[in-house]
């Protein structure tokens, strides 16, 4: 019993300390909001209430056992609702506190000499503090009061009323954000996918949607279909493939992710569909929804070993690794539960080693190398150099794996697993988009001690939506290790022209 009593006392003391710390934190925030006018870019609307407003804002609960406050309507009473605007770092308008302004001189009588008895007398009082507002917001019973005040702000903004600023300096000239900024929603993910990806994404959702409520993103594509075509892959979308909660497009390619090989060098062709799905059920709310960009592709073998090294846009040695047929699943998604953006790729297929496209040694005892399984998982992090998003960055950090089986063809087929290691993979993307004009982008990837570099540049654009890019890809020889038998000695390079329509 004594131990139980001590335990209860300790819990009580911990609760008191936590409550006291919370009060101190609220106190510091409220002091900062009211007195710091140099860096907090706060805004307010002066509002005179209507009888309907007064009726809706009667007996508003307040924190710390203070008496509920009832808003008033009088000729000498007005209110200031102070709030933080929606920005790239704050995904919605945030109400901070409410001030009551009482002009007591409005009812003063004249003195014996014809002057007012006290001159102008303005009484300012914060009737709803930050803590009051916070507790209203998180209260299921009392949130109606917060929502009512919030709706007043939204209505004023939607009628193009300009709020007044409490800032005493010019934030555009004197305050900079040198460390870069990251969107609080899916905007960075969407911007990257639209510029660098080959599939259709809703166009400019942040500009197409009403910014105040941020409810819907209106599709503003200028064409009924979109095409992205290059020497290595093609995608196609038509408006009939948009189902509201999801959209589907087709893809064909000649490469294999994860492996350090260029398209055509993998001796495969893939064909399948890509689907952009909103888990919330409406793809038009893509900025705030949990979305998944998914591909399901079938991979078949294509014997390019005899001519891949002769293609004018490829500078490679003869392919040395046989990639087996199979199924590829490629997933990317927006954040869930505050986690970073994620990427997942998995491929598996047939283990039939009877007919390699490329092999080495004597015909009666040749060796061939096959890979049948590949996977990679990573998390993506986005940031921008400024609110104008002129330079956009993305970094993928994760792990990857592929297997290699050595098959020998002496008196039948014997096979041996010679490689199956999990390796870290790091990719960095840099995209330069001055004034919304997608000009060039680059990618640097390290996996299995091989450096991969991709670069693209806009060549020219024709109205209404024809865009041509120059692209190049380079794979270095292995660094800090010896060459695997299935790898090229001098590295590999590819150059190509990419055509985009309707994006």
């Amino acid at each position: 019993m004594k131990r139980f009593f001590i335990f209860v006392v300790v819990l009580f003391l911990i609760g008191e300390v936590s409550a006291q710390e919370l009060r101190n934190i609220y106190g510091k925030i409220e002091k900062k909001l009211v007195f710091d006018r140099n860096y907090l870019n706060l805004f307010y609307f002066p509002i005179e209430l209507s009888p309907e407003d007064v009726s809706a804002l009667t007996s508003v609960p307040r924190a710390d056992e203070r008496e509920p406050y009832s808003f008033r309507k009088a000729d000498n009473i007005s209110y200031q609702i102070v709030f933080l605007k929606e920005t790239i770092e704050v995904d919605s308008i945030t109400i901070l506190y409410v001030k009551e302004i009482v002009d007591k001189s409005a009812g003063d009588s004249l003195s014996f000499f014809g002057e007012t008895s006290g001159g102008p007398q303005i009484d300012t009082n914060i009737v709803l503090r930050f803590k009051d507002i916070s507790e209203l917001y998180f209260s299921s019973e009392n949130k109606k009061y917060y929502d009512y005040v919030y709706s007043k702000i939204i209505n004023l903004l939607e009628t193009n009323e300009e709020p007044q600023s409490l800032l005493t300096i010019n934030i555009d000239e004197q305050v900079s954000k040198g460390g870069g900024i990251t969107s609080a929603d899916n905007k960075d993910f969407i911007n990257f996918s639209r510029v660098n990806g080959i599939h259709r994404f809703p166009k400019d959702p942040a500009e197409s949607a009403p910014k105040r409520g941020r409810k819907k993103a209106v599709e503003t594509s200028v064409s009924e279909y979109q095409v992205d075509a290059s020497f290595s892959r093609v995608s196609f979308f038509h408006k009939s493939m948009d189902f509201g909660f999801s959209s589907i497009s087709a893809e064909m390619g000649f490469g294999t992710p994860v492996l350090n090989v260029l398209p055509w060098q993998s001796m495969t062709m893939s064909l399948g569909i890509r689907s952009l799905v909103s888990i919330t059920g409406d793809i038009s709310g893509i900025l705030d929804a949990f979305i998944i960009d998914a591909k399901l592709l079938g991979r078949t073998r294509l014997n390019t070993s005899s001519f891949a090294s002769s293609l004018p846009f490829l500078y490679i040695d003869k392919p040395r690794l046989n990639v087996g047929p199979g199924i590829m699943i490629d997933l990317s998604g927006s954040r869930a539960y505050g986690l970073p953006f994620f990427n997942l790729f998995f491929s598996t297929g047939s283990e039939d080693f009877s007919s390699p496209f490329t092999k080495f040694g004597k015909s009666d005892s040749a060796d061939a190398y096959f890979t049948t399984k590949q996977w990679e998982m990573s998390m993506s992090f986005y940031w921008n150099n400024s609110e104008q998003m002129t330079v956009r960055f993305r970094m993928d950090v994760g792990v990857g794996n592929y297997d290699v089986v050595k098959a020998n063809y002496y008196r039948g087929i014997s096979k041996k697993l010679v490689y199956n290691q999990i390796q870290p993979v790091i990719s960095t993307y840099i995209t330069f988009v001055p004034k919304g004009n997608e000009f060039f982008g680059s990618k640097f990837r390290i996996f299995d001690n091989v450096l991969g570099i991709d670069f693209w540049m806009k060549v020219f654009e024709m109205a209404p939506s024809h865009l041509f890019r120059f692209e190049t890809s380079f794979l270095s020889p292995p660094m800090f290790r010896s060459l695997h038998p299935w790898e090229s000695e001098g590295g590999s390079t590819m150059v190509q022209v990419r055509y985009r329509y309707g994006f």
Side-chain angles (χ1 to χ4, degrees):
M1 184 68 181
K2 182 177 180 181
R3 290 182 179 178
F4 176 76
F5 177 77
I6 294 174
F7 177 71
V8 172
V9 171
V10 170
L11 285 181
F12 176 78
L13 291 176
I14 292 175
E16 284 297 305
V17 171
S18 300
Q20 181 60 40
E21 289 180 353
L22 187 59
R23 282 194 291 270
N24 291 338
I25 292 173
Y26 270 120
K28 291 178 180 179
I29 293 175
E30 290 166 356
K31 184 177 180 180
K32 180 81 171 176
L33 292 175
V34 174
F35 296 107
D36 191 344
R37 302 294 178 84
N38 291 327
Y39 297 101
L40 294 179
N41 194 20
L42 307 183
F43 295 86
Y44 72 92
F45 276 117
I47 295 178
E48 294 184 0
L49 302 182
S50 65
E52 293 78 11
D53 297 331
V54 172
S55 177
L57 297 173
T58 299
S59 299
V60 180
R62 296 193 289 185
D64 299 331
E65 299 182 354
R66 298 162 66 210
E67 290 292 328
Y69 178 77
S70 295
F71 284 73
R72 301 181 290 169
K73 175 175 175 54
D75 293 337
N76 63 329
I77 296 177
S78 63
Y79 292 90
Q80 289 184 0
I81 302 177
V82 181
F83 62 96
L84 186 64
K85 271 187 175 182
E86 178 183 7
T87 67
I88 191 173
E89 295 169 310
V90 181
D91 61 358
S92 66
I93 290 169
T94 304
I95 300 173
L96 301 175
Y97 59 91
V98 179
K99 290 197 298 185
E100 179 190 63
I101 314 297
V102 181
D103 184 1
K104 292 186 174 180
S105 63
D108 283 348
S109 58
L110 295 177
S111 66
F112 178 78
F113 297 99
E115 298 176 352
T116 57
S117 57
Q121 299 178 25
I122 305 298
D123 188 6
T124 301
N125 183 33
I126 297 179
V127 294
L128 293 180
R129 303 177 304 185
F130 177 76
K131 185 176 182 180
D132 302 325
I133 296 292
S134 177
E135 294 196 359
L136 289 176
Y137 180 84
F138 289 106
S139 170
S140 58
E141 180 182 356
N142 299 318
K143 191 173 183 291
K144 60 183 179 180
Y145 298 108
Y146 180 93
D147 292 340
Y148 192 90
V149 177
Y150 180 85
S151 66
K152 296 285 291 183
I153 297 296
I154 295 299
N155 290 337
L156 288 170
L157 291 172
E158 289 182 346
T159 55
N160 296 322
E161 292 289 336
E162 285 296 327
Q164 301 182 40
S165 175
L166 293 174
L167 193 65
T168 58
I169 63 172
N170 188 328
I171 189 171
D172 295 326
E173 297 179 358
Q174 302 187 40
V175 179
S176 64
K177 298 180 179 180
I181 57 175
T182 300
S183 297
D185 51 23
N186 297 330
K187 188 172 185 178
D188 290 334
F189 173 74
I190 295 170
N191 284 343
F192 175 87
S193 300
R194 288 199 64 251
V195 174
N196 295 278
I198 68 169
H199 288 279
R200 173 251 192 189
F201 253 81
K203 187 172 183 177
D204 300 326
E207 297 178 3
S208 301
K211 190 172 183 180
R212 305 304 176 194
R214 191 101 72 88
K215 297 295 184 184
K216 301 290 182 182
V218 180
E219 180 63 51
T220 60
S221 178
V222 297
S223 63
E224 294 185 350
Y225 62 93
Q226 287 85 43
V227 175
D228 189 301
S230 65
F231 301 155
S232 58
R233 56 185 181 177
V234 178
S235 69
F236 174 81
F237 168 82
H238 188 268
K239 68 175 184 178
S240 62
M241 305 162 77
D242 187 353
F243 309 116
F245 68 93
S246 172
S247 65
I248 292 178
S249 51
E251 176 180 337
M252 182 181 70
F254 301 93
T256 299
V258 180
L259 298 176
N260 287 318
V261 294
L262 293 176
W264 300 96
Q265 198 175 14
S266 65
M267 298 182 292
T268 63
M269 182 181 71
S270 58
L271 183 65
I273 60 172
R274 173 264 195 178
S275 180
L276 184 66
V277 181
S278 172
I279 302 301
T280 58
D282 188 356
I283 204 66
S284 62
I286 196 170
L287 272 175
D288 302 301
F290 176 44
I291 55 176
I292 293 179
D293 190 352
K295 296 181 184 180
L296 178 61
L297 305 170
R299 182 174 64 197
T300 184
R301 300 175 68 207
L302 180 67
N303 191 356
T304 60
S305 62
S306 60
F307 66 86
S309 57
S310 302
L311 292 173
F313 53 88
L314 282 175
Y315 303 90
I316 61 174
D317 295 333
K318 182 179 178 179
R320 304 172 66 89
L321 181 63
N322 296 276
V323 180
I327 295 176
M328 298 189 294
I329 300 174
D330 194 351
L331 301 175
S332 297
S334 59
R335 358 177 125 90
Y337 307 108
L339 296 174
F341 297 88
F342 71 90
N343 311 284
L344 175 64
F345 174 86
F346 177 76
S347 175
T348 187
S350 170
E351 296 186 0
D352 180 9
F353 305 144
S354 60
S355 56
F357 289 152
T358 178
K359 53 186 178 180
F360 312 95
K362 297 180 179 180
S363 58
D364 60 346
S365 60
D367 295 326
Y369 295 93
F370 287 84
T371 176
T372 60
K373 299 181 181 69
Q374 307 88 38
W375 62 264
E376 181 178 310
M377 60 178 64
S378 64
M379 289 189 171
S380 299
F381 304 89
Y382 298 87
W383 69 99
N384 309 275
N385 71 319
S386 66
E387 290 193 18
Q388 287 70 38
M389 298 182 179
T390 302
V391 184
R392 305 170 183 177
F393 302 91
R394 166 176 161 172
M395 176 174 285
D396 296 345
V397 180
V399 292
N401 167 266
Y402 67 97
D403 67 344
V404 176
V405 176
K406 180 180 180 180
N408 181 264
Y409 299 89
Y410 177 70
R411 294 182 179 179
I413 302 176
S414 61
K415 56 184 180 180
K416 179 183 179 182
L417 182 66
V418 295
Y419 187 86
N420 191 27
Q421 297 181 10
I422 297 176
Q423 298 274 4
V425 56
I426 299 177
S427 301
T428 301
Y429 301 80
I430 303 173
T431 309
F432 182 56
V433 189
K435 297 182 179 180
N437 181 19
E438 48 194 68
F439 187 61
F440 71 78
S442 60
K443 173 187 176 182
F444 302 88
R445 180 177 185 265
I446 289 285
F447 175 64
D448 195 20
N449 294 89
V450 173
L451 172 64
I453 301 176
D454 295 330
F455 176 82
W456 64 263
M457 176 178 286
K458 178 179 178 180
V459 180
F460 63 93
E461 184 174 5
M462 297 187 302
S465 53
H466 301 270
L467 177 67
F468 293 86
R469 291 178 180 175
F470 167 80
E471 295 190 350
T472 182
S473 299
F474 170 75
L475 290 174
S476 74
M479 303 179 293
F480 314 114
R481 66 165 173 82
S482 59
L483 189 73
H484 293 314
W486 57 86
E487 293 179 316
S488 301
E489 295 184 7
S492 307
T493 303
M494 178 182 70
V495 294
Q496 63 179 345
V497 175
R498 181 173 170 187
Y499 168 70
R500 285 161 62 88
Y501 174 77
F503 286 85

